[in-house]
Structure formats: structure tokens, C-alpha cells
């Protein structure tokens, strides 16, 4: 489970506030949303969660998800019209060096 719930929250809040930095928002699967973006907030730990060309996947703390339901639903509704049917959320992160982009993927399980 992601130890740094604050990092997950900060990055998602940053993306919500700076939608101009989202290069692409994709929903390749019914329960997955992928973000490709250009910048991280200062509070995010690049060296731990956004490794160069390496995926880091961890389950988000259920307390974080419960406390910030509206934040997760905000992004879900960007690409889906239905209520998100999930019990937990997994977050996958990476830094794509060739594209100079950060990847953040939310998987609603």
C-alpha cells in the first residue's frame, strides 16, 4: 500500500488544478484511467514513485480513498458517465524518459 498517501493526494490535486499540464487522459479499459503530464507538485517524491522507465504499482490507502471520494470521482467522470464501481484503487506511476512525461494510472478495482 502506498505509504505516502499525501503524495498521491497532492499529485491528483495538482492535476485537477493544472489540467493544462495533462498531455493525455486515456481510459483504455473500463476501470482504468491513465494520465500523462509534464510536471509534479513540489511535494511529490520523484525518486520514490516516479522512477525512470519503471512502473511502481501500489494500492491506495482505503482511508485516503474514503476521505477524498470526490477527488477520485472527479477524474473518473472525466472519461466515464457511470458511477465508479470499486472497492479499492491502485495507482501506478512512472517517469517516461523518452517522452519527458510522468505517467499516473488509477485502476478502480
Amino acid at each position: 500500500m502506498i505509504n505516502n498517501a499525501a503524495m498521491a493526494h497532492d499529485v491528483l490535486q495538482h492535476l485537477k488544478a493544472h489540467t493544462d499540464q495533462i498531455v493525455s487522459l486515456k481510459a483504455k479499459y473500463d476501470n482504468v484511467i491513465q494520465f500523462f503530464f509534464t510536471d509534479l507538485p513540489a511535494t511529490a517524491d520523484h525518486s520514490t514513485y516516479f522512477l525512470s522507465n519503471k512502473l511502481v504499482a501500489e494500492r491506495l490507502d482505503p482511508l485516503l480513498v474514503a476521505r477524498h471520494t470526490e477527488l477520485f470521482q472527479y477524474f473518473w467522470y472525466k472519461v466515464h458517465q457511470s458511477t465508479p464501481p470499486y472497492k479499492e484503487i491502485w495507482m501506478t506511476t512512472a517517469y517516461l524518459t523518452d517522452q519527458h512525461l510522468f505517467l499516473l494510472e488509477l485502476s478502480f478495482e
Side-chain angles (χ1 to χ4, degrees):
M1 187 174 339
I2 287 185
N3 302 348
N4 194 345
M7 184 283 301
H9 177 264
D10 289 351
V11 170
L12 291 171
Q13 281 293 108
H14 178 78
L15 291 175
K16 184 177 178 183
H18 299 93
T19 56
D20 58 313
Q21 292 181 357
I22 298 175
V23 174
S24 180
L25 178 68
K26 296 181 182 180
K28 191 171 183 178
Y29 304 102
D30 288 344
N31 66 324
V32 175
I33 299 166
Q34 290 180 329
F35 306 92
F36 298 90
F37 52 100
T38 58
D39 199 13
L40 286 174
T43 56
D45 186 356
H46 182 278
S47 64
T48 301
Y49 293 103
F50 291 91
L51 302 179
S52 295
N53 299 317
K54 184 174 180 180
L55 295 174
V56 176
E58 297 186 47
R59 184 170 64 95
L60 291 177
D61 184 336
L63 293 174
L64 170 76
V65 174
R67 259 187 257 137
H68 302 288
T69 301
E70 72 290 339
L71 179 62
F72 294 102
Q73 287 182 350
Y74 169 82
F75 288 110
W76 176 265
Y77 290 133
K78 286 288 189 191
V79 291
H80 295 287
Q81 301 304 312
S82 63
T83 302
Y86 62 86
K87 293 185 173 105
E88 57 187 37
I89 299 175
W90 286 74
M91 186 169 86
T92 303
T93 56
Y95 180 69
L96 309 175
T97 57
D98 288 350
Q99 294 86 6
H100 305 287
L101 291 173
F102 295 96
L103 161 69
L104 187 145
E105 177 180 279
L106 295 176
S107 175
F108 296 82
E109 303 296 331

